[in-house]
Amino acid sequence: MVLAAVIITWANLTPGILVSSMNNLMDLLKSTDHVLWTCLEGMDLKPQYYSFRWLTLMLSQEFALPEVLRLWDSLFADAERFDFLLYICCSMLVLIRDQLLEGDFATSMKLLQNYPNPDIHKILVKATQLRKSRQIATGGSVTGIMIG
C-alpha cells in the first residue's frame, strides 16, 4: 500500500516538478564533479535523454528486480526519498565517470540508457557519501536539495 502511494504520488507530479528534479540532478552533479558536468554539457547530453526515465520510473528499468527491490527499500526508508533519488542518480553518473569522459555523445548516451554497473550496494554507498559531503559543505543538516 505504501509502495503504491509513493509511486502514484511521484507519477502525479506536474511536469514542472519533473523538469526541476532533472535540473536539480544536474546542479548536484555540477557541485559534485564539475569536470563530468562540463563534459556532459559539452556533448549536449541533456538529462532529459536519460534521467527522465530514471526519475519517473524510480530506476525500475535500470536494474534487475532484486536490485530494484533493494534500491526501493532504501528509498522508501528515507524520509527525504525523492531527494535521495537524486543523490542515487548522481552517484550513478559519478561511478561511470571515466567511461563518460572518454566517450563521445553516442557512446555516452548508450551507456546512460543501458547502465553498466548493477552493483546497487556500491551505488547506495556513493549516494550516501555524496549526501553527507553536501551536508558538511552546507554546514549542517540538508533536508532537501533545492539548489540555486
Side-chain angles (χ1 to χ4, degrees), residues 3 6-13 18 21-22 50-65 67-69 71-72 75-76 82 85 88-89 92 113:
L3 173 60
V6 170
I7 291 173
I8 289 169
T9 300
W10 187 244
N12 288 332
L13 293 176
L18 186 56
S21 293
M22 288 187 282
Y50 56 92
S51 69
F52 179 83
R53 183 174 81 179
W54 291 2
L55 296 170
T56 56
L57 300 175
M58 294 176 22
L59 299 168
S60 64
Q61 299 298 301
E62 310 313 311
F63 306 104
L65 184 59
E67 286 80 19
V68 170
L69 294 176
L71 177 70
W72 283 4
L75 279 172
F76 299 148
F82 296 120
L85 178 59
I88 291 170
C89 292
M92 290 169 60
Q113 290 183 338

Side-chain angles (χ1 to χ4, degrees), residues 26-74:
M26 295 315 290
D27 288 343
L28 182 58
L29 179 63
K30 183 178 182 180
S31 69
T32 301
D33 189 335
H34 195 271
V35 172
L36 179 56
W37 176 83
T38 302
C39 176
L40 295 178
E41 287 288 311
M43 283 191 274
D44 202 29
L45 211 159
K46 301 192 182 310
Q48 294 89 326
Y49 301 154
Y50 56 92
S51 69
F52 179 83
R53 183 174 81 179
W54 291 2
L55 296 170
T56 56
L57 300 175
M58 294 176 22
L59 299 168
S60 64
Q61 299 298 301
E62 310 313 311
F63 306 104
L65 184 59
E67 286 80 19
V68 170
L69 294 176
R70 171 66 179 96
L71 177 70
W72 283 4
D73 186 47
S74 296

Side-chain angles (χ1 to χ4, degrees), residues 63 88 91-92 95 117 119-127:
F63 306 104
I88 291 170
S91 74
M92 290 169 60
L95 287 171
N117 185 358
D119 187 347
I120 291 299
H121 179 72
K122 189 174 183 179
I123 292 168
L124 291 172
V125 167
K126 185 66 174 175

Side-chain angles (χ1 to χ4, degrees), residues 93-113:
L93 293 167
V94 171
L95 287 171
I96 59 170
R97 175 186 202 274
D98 293 339
Q99 294 162 282
L100 291 170
L101 291 175
E102 292 170 3
D104 60 4
F105 178 88
T107 304
S108 297
M109 185 55 135
K110 191 178 290 189
L111 194 64
L112 291 169
Q113 290 183 338

Side-chain angles (χ1 to χ4, degrees), residues 15-27 55 86 146:
I17 292 175
L18 186 56
V19 169
S20 176
S21 293
M22 288 187 282
N23 290 336
N24 285 344
L25 171 59
M26 295 315 290
D27 288 343
L55 296 170
L86 296 179
M146 307 321 270

